[in-house]
Amino acid sequence: MGIFNSMFGGDKEPKEKKAPMPWKQLTTLEQLDQIAKDSETKPQAIFKHSTTCGISRMVIRQLESQYDIDPNQLDIYYLDLKAYREVSNEVGYKFQVIHQSPQMILIKNGTAVYSDSHGAISAQALAEKI
């Protein structure tokens, strides 16, 4: 058995399991007011995701694999923009950002201070802005 384990990876050390992304679901218009209020004391991020878009799926996987921001530094919201179109539209109006998908928006003191989309979205870029 030893030779098969070494040939086929049986002796590899187990990979360190990463903590799951601390997503908060964004599903209501009322949450947007709370996000604006909470952003006065702690930055808030909204990730707008299209569940039917391959690029959006790729970006969220990459983000989740890289993400290591302490939950005490940032709240991060997940918005399924297909299921909650009205909420997605209101995000743009309330925080004065042009709709894109996928899109990451960072809010501080009730104002969007950073917005990126598609391949420009990264955990590192987000961490640098908080």
Side-chain angles (χ1 to χ4, degrees), residues 78-117:
Y78 169 92
L79 173 59
D80 176 345
L81 61 88
K82 295 280 187 173
Y84 301 100
R85 177 71 63 194
E86 183 181 22
V87 177
S88 177
N89 291 340
E90 188 61 27
V91 166
Y93 300 132
K94 184 166 190 69
F95 299 112
Q96 297 296 295
V97 292
I98 296 171
H99 166 76
Q100 296 185 65
S101 168
Q103 183 175 31
M104 179 67 75
I105 303 162
L106 180 64
I107 300 136
K108 291 182 180 179
N109 297 315
T111 303
V113 295
Y114 164 76
S115 175
D116 249 331
S117 69

Side-chain angles (χ1 to χ4, degrees), residues 48-100:
K48 292 171 69 177
H49 176 59
S50 172
T51 55
T52 59
C53 173
I55 293 171
S56 194
R57 194 169 24 258
M58 179 186 69
V59 169
I60 197 170
R61 282 187 193 139
Q62 179 179 321
L63 180 65
E64 288 177 331
S65 72
Q66 298 173 343
Y67 195 88
D68 65 352
I69 299 171
D70 184 329
N72 293 318
Q73 289 184 287
L74 177 75
D75 290 329
I76 187 161
Y77 287 83
Y78 169 92
L79 173 59
D80 176 345
L81 61 88
K82 295 280 187 173
Y84 301 100
R85 177 71 63 194
E86 183 181 22
V87 177
S88 177
N89 291 340
E90 188 61 27
V91 166
Y93 300 132
K94 184 166 190 69
F95 299 112
Q96 297 296 295
V97 292
I98 296 171
H99 166 76
Q100 296 185 65

Side-chain angles (χ1 to χ4, degrees), residues 23-58:
W23 292 119
K24 296 182 177 202
Q25 297 296 314
L26 176 53
T27 59
T28 68
L29 295 173
E30 292 77 23
Q31 284 177 282
L32 297 178
D33 290 332
Q34 190 62 49
I35 287 169
K37 182 178 180 199
D38 291 346
S39 76
E40 294 173 11
T41 56
K42 180 179 176 182
Q44 307 289 302
I46 298 172
F47 179 74
K48 292 171 69 177
H49 176 59
S50 172
T51 55
T52 59
C53 173
I55 293 171
S56 194
R57 194 169 24 258
M58 179 186 69

